[in-house]
Amino acid sequence: MHQTPPTNQRTSASSSRSPRHAAVVGLQWGDEGKGKIVDLLTSRYDCIVRYNGGANAGHTVQVGRERYALHLIPSGILSQGKINIVGNGVVVDPEKLLDEIDGLRKRGVEVAENLRVSDRAHVVMPYHKEQDAALEELLEKRSGKSGAGQIGTTRRGIGPAYSDKVRRSTALRMGDLLDHALLLRKLETICGLRMAELEALGANVTPLVPRELADRFAAAGERLRPHITDTVYLVHDEMRAGRSVLFEGANACLLDIDHGTFPYVTSSNCSTLGIPAGSGVPGRMIDKVYGIMKAYSTRVGGGPFVTELLDATGDRIRTRGREFGTTTGRPRRCGWLDLVAVKYSVMVCGADAIACTLLDVLSGFDELKVCVGYRRADGTVTDRFIPDAERMQGFTPVYETLAGWGRELTDCTDRDELPPEAQRYLAFVESFVGIPVELVSVGPERNQTFERAGGLASAI
Ligand code: IMP
């Protein structure tokens, strides 16, 4: 599709103005349409950096008639001349990464020097996925109820891989795949221990053979060798050379291990707070944070969801929004927009502006509800989010009801063409959350997005 110029011939996308570095982060529970917004913003930045998560994320990007589902590779790969960096905070399944590279190449997308993977990113191994599934099944069995007791993970081995990172002695990093002898030595220690752990979880395990795994993953490492590097120096070198960087958060703020709805979260810092640790770039170097907010709420897996709709309205949102997981295909739980949660994420992530996605899905409702407070079981009301599943039990939403609009929005080519009710919906978000909605998306295509610096409220 395109040819990436060698590094030394690249020009700066931001050369006409002072370089600015930005971040894009989901403000809800993931699946906010970040892939599309990153893809759109990519033209303004030279490097796109992933700093957290792994193949649990799924970004869908529509380019013309082509639809791409990316899991590990930053969405910037679909644009010409960008450096796409998988930072040290990501957990990489090397075989999945190779599948993704092969899939893109088959469709004519250049994947060469434009993809760099940190030598310090941790590796997701097959036993991590077995462990993930075995633990989820064990928790389900223990609770005696289908789906209960579990986190509802994507079973991509994310939690076990991050656990090994923290445990240190059983961890593998991408750089280890480049040295067969070292890899084998490490696997000899890891495999015995891992077998014992899997058996204790009641998993039906095929014996782990260190040499087989070492051969298999050293081969993957060889194929990935041209991409594996010290990405911390790389990103700083790029910044010093005047090139601009966009940090792409995977998953979303409310799934953050420290600031999300614990324990129904993922295992990384997926708010912008993960950027410094996951990329080696201090937070103060980021000039602008875009928070991505879907016009309603969804989540996959377990955990608190105060505005969840378990009725025909929820089904209608799911059908209109095609709310089925990119990574797992699971139907997503759907509900009204929770502004208490969004405002909390804006605070934690330091978001400067909102990109509102999937506004078109809300066409055809007589009225729309937005959550502006939580009523506790004892009847008292709070406007504060509580990132703890136990402490959110029994919460019900306090709603503000806004007028809906009938007309489809997908043909709107400018924000002024939105029906007045849709403009008011966005203005309500701005006034409640306190930052502007600068981008609005009304369909999957690149051109179905409007932008206005400073937001919409001023236009109403
Ligand atoms: P894990 O990341 O596979 O361990 O899953 C932990 C929780 O995060 C589960 O509820 C997943 O469904 C959810 N999750 C992880 N990544 C994403 C994402 O990119 N979008 C939406 N939910 C996610």
Side-chain angles (χ1 to χ4, degrees), residues 152-170:
T153 73
T154 58
R155 303 193 177 198
R156 296 293 189 267
I158 305 299
Y162 278 116
S163 301
D164 273 352
K165 174 177 177 174
V166 177
R167 189 199 251 173
R168 296 151 294 163
S169 48
T170 46

Side-chain angles (χ1 to χ4, degrees), residues 29-31 56-57 151-154 158 251 255 265-266 300-301 330:
W29 287 280
D31 311 310
N56 53 351
I151 304 290
T153 73
T154 58
I158 305 299
N251 325 121
L255 293 171
V265 290
T266 188
V300 276
R330 289 181 287 181

Side-chain angles (χ1 to χ4, degrees), residues 78-97:
L78 303 172
S79 300
Q80 202 165 358
K82 309 293 171 187
I83 293 288
N84 296 277
I85 297 174
V86 177
N88 59 279
V90 176
V91 284
V92 179
D93 178 336
E95 293 179 335
K96 269 237 166 295
L97 178 60

Side-chain angles (χ1 to χ4, degrees), residues 165-181:
K165 174 177 177 174
V166 177
R167 189 199 251 173
R168 296 151 294 163
S169 48
T170 46
L172 290 174
R173 308 208 282 188
M174 289 303 284
D176 298 334
L177 304 187
L178 304 179
D179 180 339
H180 187 281

